[in-house]
Amino acid sequence: MRIVHTLSELRQALAPAQHPAFVPTMGNLHAGHIALITQAQPLGDCTVASIFVNRLQFLPHEDFDSYPRTWECDCAQLQAAGCDVLFAPREHDLYPEPQAVKVHADPALADILEGHFRPGFFTGVSTVVMKLFMAVFAGKAQGTAVFGKKDYQQLMVIRQMVRQFALPITIESGETRRAADGLALSSRNGYLSEAERAEALHLSLTLRALGRDALAAANALEAHLPALEAQAMASLSQRGWQPDYLTVRRRHDLQTPKAGDALVVLGAARLGSTRLIDNFEI
Ligand code: PAF
């Protein structure tokens, strides 16, 4: 695996590639990330991963400084997974000057759910992903990028950006990987104490229960949904969580669903000082 830090090193490393397959990450890799690398491999002629903790997508009070950085372990996992090129820019490689030009995602999609509770988050994500796409795919006729469904709204925002800018990039999605008890794998799970880790599976359990209740009420979903969501929020709160949202949305644009829509149930909640997110297509 070739490790590169600058844009010019990356372009040189990718010169022979016609169709790179790319997995952007912020590092602290786990089995979910490695599954995306494995998924990307047959989709291109060169598998590229990036590791970059993107300051632009963190609010001032969030965990940018403490976000886990596990360079040696990440490199070993990528190498073992057969990744060809690792792009690990330093901050000045990607942001050589303050980033005044930004990508503002569609507010209808980006200012709800995660974007409501983390204002500016999707501007930060869209901007860095556009920069990473330009770095990896510039001069290529076609490319593929793989994103996990764990960050469901992020996947929708990136799909819309690629579609609206007509970027020659195919976006593929990878299923969420889970621990044996059902907790979605996440870099932030490492923040949980032993007791919190045991409790953490209740986010996925509560979302699954909400999903089942929504399907049972499918014929009159709009009428029943507010009460079902409120019940799910209350049941997680009673366990000591601080839920931001637990909600059922239609899949393609994450708006309030109508009967017959394909559905996804999504949630974000804080357990102690750790904020976890999860979702299920139902
Ligand atoms: O999902 C992530 O790890 C990040 O949001 C991404 C896509 C690498 C952009 O920083």
Side-chain angles (χ1 to χ4, degrees):
M1 179 174 74
R2 193 154 160 199
I3 299 176
V4 296
H5 301 288
T6 67
L7 290 180
S8 61
E9 285 168 348
L10 177 67
R11 296 219 166 106
Q12 207 182 13
L14 294 184
Q18 307 281 322
H19 183 146
F22 176 43
V23 180
T25 83
M26 297 205 300
N28 191 232
L29 304 181
H30 50 65
H33 295 110
I34 298 307
L36 299 181
I37 298 286
T38 306
Q39 185 177 345
Q41 264 157 356
L43 303 178
D45 56 3
C46 179
T47 308
V48 187
S50 65
I51 294 181
F52 181 69
V53 185
N54 174 40
R55 188 187 293 275
L56 224 57
Q57 70 191 70
F58 289 78
L59 287 169
H61 66 272
E62 291 184 336
D63 55 345
F64 173 77
D65 288 327
S66 57
Y67 196 84
R69 288 155 173 93
T70 48
W71 173 250
E72 303 290 338
C73 184
D74 291 351
C75 289
Q77 289 186 75
L78 289 171
Q79 172 90 45
C83 180
D84 298 308
V85 176
L86 168 57
F87 178 43
R90 292 147 299 196
E91 203 150 21
H92 61 268
D93 293 312
L94 217 50
Y95 296 118
E97 57 186 51
Q99 187 68 28
V101 179
K102 294 182 181 152
V103 179
H104 293 283
D106 175 5
L109 181 59
D111 290 358
I112 58 172
L113 308 174
E114 283 305 284
H116 176 75
F117 288 95
R118 304 180 69 191
F121 173 66
F122 287 115
T123 299
V125 168
S126 304
T127 302
V128 80
V129 169
M130 182 63 101
K131 287 178 78 98
L132 291 168
F133 281 178
M134 290 301 147
V136 171
F137 298 117
K140 310 295 176 196
Q142 180 63 36
T144 298
V146 188
F147 289 81
K149 284 190 188 174
K150 162 82 180 2
D151 296 291
Y152 202 87
Q153 192 177 1
Q154 169 174 279
L155 173 65
M156 300 291 132
V157 166
I158 300 301
R159 278 195 196 287
Q160 191 189 38
M161 179 180 85
V162 165
R163 194 176 64 243
Q164 295 215 341
F165 284 109
L167 302 178
I169 300 167
T170 304
I171 302 298
E172 296 288 346
S173 61
E175 294 301 325
T176 301
R177 297 288 295 251
R178 296 180 180 279
D181 67 354
L183 176 68
L185 298 189
S186 162
S187 300
R188 291 189 168 100
N189 291 351
Y191 297 152
L192 298 167
S193 69
E194 208 175 310
E196 287 169 343
R197 172 61 191 83
E199 172 62 27
L201 78 134
H202 283 277
L203 177 59
S204 65
L205 289 179
T206 307
L207 287 173
R208 280 199 190 281
L210 174 57
R212 274 195 304 274
D213 291 346
L215 289 180
N219 289 338
L221 193 58
E222 284 170 273
H224 288 106
L225 208 46
L228 295 178
E229 291 175 349
Q231 188 184 313
M233 297 275 285
S235 96
L236 211 51
S237 300
Q238 276 157 20
R239 301 193 62 88
W241 293 68
Q242 292 168 276
D244 283 344
Y245 59 87
L246 300 171
T247 185
V248 178
R249 299 293 169 105
R250 62 179 180 222
R251 284 187 205 174
H252 72 278
D253 61 2
L254 303 185
Q255 301 301 312
T256 304
K258 297 196 170 31
D261 285 338
L263 302 175
V264 57
V265 50
L266 307 110
R270 201 171 291 281
L271 184 58
S273 57
T274 306
R275 187 172 182 278
L276 299 176
I277 63 170
D278 201 356
N279 67 80
F280 295 96
E281 289 173 333
I282 56 172

